[in-house]
Amino acid sequence: MIVEIDNLNFIKIDKKEIIKLFYNIYQPLKKLEYYLDYIKDLVSKSYKDNKFIKKDEFEHLLYNIFLYYLINWDNLYHTNQIPFCNWYNFKEIIDSILNSENDVSFIINQKYINTDYFKRYLENFTNNIKIKNKNIIADYIMENFQGNLIMLYFLIRKMIMNRKSYYKSNILFITDYDRYYGNNRFFGDHLFESEDFKKLLEELNINMNLTNYSILFTKYNYTNLLKYIKDYHKKPSNYLFIEDILNLELGFKILLNSSKIYKKVKLNDDNNDEHKKFIHEMFNIFLKHKLPFILWFYLSIKDYILKNNIKYIFGDSEKNFIFYLYNIYALWAKNIKTIAFSHEIINHNYIFIPVSKKFNCIPNYKLVWNDNVKKLLINKYNFPNNRVLVFPDPRFLYWKEFPKKEKTILFVSQGYPKFYEDIISTFMDKKLINTLIKNGYSFYFKPHPGEYNSKRSIKNINKLKNIKEIKIIDNLDFIPEYTIGMSSTMIYELLNAGSNAYFLDECAKDMFMIDNDVFKKYFRKNIKEILNEILMNYK
């Protein structure tokens, strides 16, 4: 048997079976609950007396933010940091294989992310391990200097974008720059002027007007950085970028004193618990490479809140990194209200530790898409009943402003090769396609923005360019009569906006917590089935 560990996400068996390491979520996180006391113990041993933050607040910050990184995906490529879910699933699968198979060869693909921890675990049982795509220089730099590089990257950004902001507000909205700057598809007038939102503010006793709120746009990666810098210097006064929050002088002080704010924690020699070993190693990696820039962000946020008298903070998701830091501070200060929408998809595979006395880093109010999601958060993840509210997603409200375009069929892509194959196969049926066109139908294809970063997806998009009947669009400014895709959130958005939407992936039912009987109306096996149905209904 040949077992390939493909970065942190997949295990391939004999080049055929693919197992996702990030899919089985609930079981690993229930296991992680068992180690919360151990993590608290690590945190209590790591503080070093410093001029930046007192011990109690340091431990409050470190405990909650380390759990954030241990639970959620680390967005910075080529790092030694591994989510607990991926590690847990890796160990379970590998142990099962080693217990049932005698002849096993392992391949570790390290093209983007250093997975030495997986390699060291395998070496406890076998030497039959092959490493491919390992970048020794990049690994060395990331292992030794990643934390400093992160700090320098944001310090340079701050020096370039260091304009003083005089705009004062006590309500802050936080969302993503790459997705929503310019189109305001999440936080914008479509939300602020809606009667539903005004009613929500009234119920939460929040007084909002045109002059007492700001929108913070977050961006961490370096793609389109030049555009980001240009937008910074011409943005409206009530728009904030991360650089408006960060304190430059504080950043340099923390960088120069980064080794003085924490102590590395030693592992007990008698510790044979593999999960404890993993958590311990991830913790020390986190202290070295993540804590300095996180402390800079946290203290800058704290300073900004106090200077601007921020009272209410809305996030597009409780998993938004900056919002999560605001929420950590709000829990500490106890005089700020946090409200999180559900940009992330919440279902039975939700990446979240159930709320308990040992973990309660949740917003004051969580706004969810429907009653099924609300029941899930309350019954399975222990959210207090009065802190989960059903409210339309701002993206649903956004689409309601756009005109409906009759006889339009939109294909929404997420980059799945199967979806491209289905489209190409369907458009080979010229009789079907020409009949639809003759009856006035037109076809549109919208790639996911992330597909332009994938060579495979770009190749597939180029194949569709050869199909003259399909118009490829990057921006959608109408509601199509029909929307077809695998399981994209945009399909669900357009469904709520009045489009006749169809999912080709059965996983969408659980993904969006749609009742069985309702989902039957929206699920089809292939595109040709849908197009024939459209034609039949038209006749």
Side-chain angles (χ1 to χ4, degrees), residues 362-524:
I362 61 172
N364 293 99
Y365 298 100
K366 179 69 176 172
L367 308 181
V368 298
W369 295 2
N370 57 46
D371 283 313
N372 286 341
V373 177
K374 178 177 179 176
K375 290 173 186 174
L376 178 77
L377 287 182
I378 293 168
N379 297 332
K380 190 172 182 178
Y381 294 99
N382 302 335
F383 273 67
N385 191 15
N386 62 345
R387 291 171 67 173
V388 185
L389 308 175
V390 176
F391 186 84
D393 189 279
R395 292 165 293 179
F396 303 166
L397 298 171
Y398 172 84
W399 288 114
K400 291 183 179 180
E401 293 188 342
F402 285 85
K404 290 185 179 180
K405 198 169 182 179
E406 299 299 318
K407 293 191 174 183
T408 51
I409 300 170
L410 173 69
F411 300 107
V412 178
S413 175
Q414 294 164 272
Y416 293 122
K418 179 183 176 182
F419 187 57
Y420 282 97
E421 291 165 8
D422 197 1
I423 293 173
I424 292 168
S425 172
T426 301
F427 275 77
M428 290 176 69
D429 187 341
K430 294 301 179 184
K431 182 180 178 182
L432 172 62
I433 300 302
N434 289 336
T435 304
L436 283 162
I437 292 172
K438 186 179 178 181
N439 283 291
Y441 286 93
S442 54
F443 303 94
Y444 296 84
F445 176 87
K446 187 184 183 307
H448 188 282
E451 288 191 69
Y452 290 109
N453 298 321
S454 164
K455 290 181 181 179
R456 183 180 68 180
S457 289
I458 291 172
K459 187 177 179 181
N460 285 327
I461 292 169
N462 288 333
K463 287 179 182 178
L464 291 193
K465 288 180 180 178
N466 295 323
I467 301 176
K468 62 181 181 179
E469 295 90 351
I470 298 176
K471 182 178 181 181
I472 297 175
I473 58 173
D474 291 319
N475 297 304
L476 185 65
D477 57 4
F478 63 90
I479 299 172
E481 184 175 356
Y482 295 95
T483 303
I484 302 170
M486 297 296 288
S487 57
S488 169
T489 306
M490 180 170 278
I491 305 169
Y492 192 73
E493 292 175 30
L494 291 171
L495 172 65
N496 279 271
S499 180
N500 298 299
Y502 293 95
F503 296 100
L504 298 170
D505 187 346
E506 286 186 275
C507 291
K509 178 177 72 69
D510 295 326
M511 190 176 294
F512 300 111
M513 299 292 291
I514 303 173
D515 290 329
N516 288 330
D517 292 339
V518 176
F519 188 71
K520 287 176 184 177
K521 295 190 294 185
Y522 308 129
F523 173 71
R524 298 294 183 272

Side-chain angles (χ1 to χ4, degrees), residues 15-28:
K15 299 183 179 180
K16 295 177 182 179
E17 183 183 359
I18 298 177
I19 302 171
K20 297 177 182 177
L21 294 180
F22 55 85
Y23 192 73
N24 172 33
I25 300 297
Y26 187 69
Q27 190 175 351

Side-chain angles (χ1 to χ4, degrees), residues 27-156:
Q27 190 175 351
L29 293 183
K30 286 297 290 181
K31 184 69 175 179
L32 183 58
E33 278 190 290
Y34 175 77
Y35 294 99
L36 293 181
D37 285 332
Y38 176 66
I39 293 170
K40 283 197 171 186
D41 184 56
L42 292 175
V43 168
S44 68
K45 294 174 181 176
S46 63
Y47 179 76
K48 189 183 286 187
D49 192 31
N50 65 81
K51 59 185 177 181
F52 300 111
I53 188 169
K54 299 296 183 183
K55 187 175 189 296
D56 287 351
E57 190 174 2
F58 173 88
E59 291 181 0
H60 169 75
L61 167 65
L62 181 54
Y63 175 73
N64 286 296
I65 200 64
F66 176 60
L67 278 174
Y68 174 89
Y69 271 89
L70 203 58
I71 295 167
N72 296 291
W73 177 247
D74 181 348
N75 287 316
L76 296 164
Y77 276 100
H78 221 294
T79 171
N80 292 333
Q81 196 91 25
I82 301 171
F84 185 83
C85 292
N86 296 51
W87 152 252
Y88 178 93
N89 290 329
F90 164 82
K91 182 180 181 302
E92 290 291 303
I93 293 162
I94 294 302
D95 288 352
S96 175
I97 290 171
L98 290 171
N99 287 331
S100 60
E101 300 289 336
N102 294 321
D103 186 14
V104 186
S105 298
F106 291 96
I107 301 171
I108 301 180
N109 184 355
Q110 292 188 320
K111 185 176 181 181
Y112 296 113
I113 301 171
N114 186 340
T115 49
D116 277 348
Y117 196 87
F118 287 171
K119 175 175 174 286
R120 294 204 304 274
Y121 182 73
L122 289 174
E123 286 174 341
N124 293 324
F125 311 101
T126 180
N127 293 319
N128 198 358
I129 305 168
K130 179 184 176 183
I131 305 295
K132 70 177 186 180
N133 296 318
K134 184 174 176 66
N135 189 324
I136 296 174
I137 296 174
D139 283 354
Y140 178 81
I141 292 171
M142 292 300 109
E143 185 177 348
N144 293 281
F145 307 110
Q146 187 194 27
N148 290 335
L149 290 173
I150 294 171
M151 287 288 291
L152 285 171
Y153 168 64
F154 282 106
L155 282 167
I156 291 169

Side-chain angles (χ1 to χ4, degrees), residues 189-201:
D189 290 343
H190 64 286
L191 173 66
F192 302 149
E193 294 177 4
S194 74
E195 291 304 316
D196 286 336
F197 190 64
K198 290 176 183 177
K199 184 179 178 182
L200 174 70
L201 293 178

Side-chain angles (χ1 to χ4, degrees), residues 168-172 207 212-213 308-313:
K168 299 287 184 180
S169 65
N170 63 359
I171 302 174
L172 184 64
N207 180 26
N212 71 339
Y213 75 89
N308 288 273
N309 195 29
I310 300 291
K311 294 298 180 185
Y312 305 100
I313 301 166

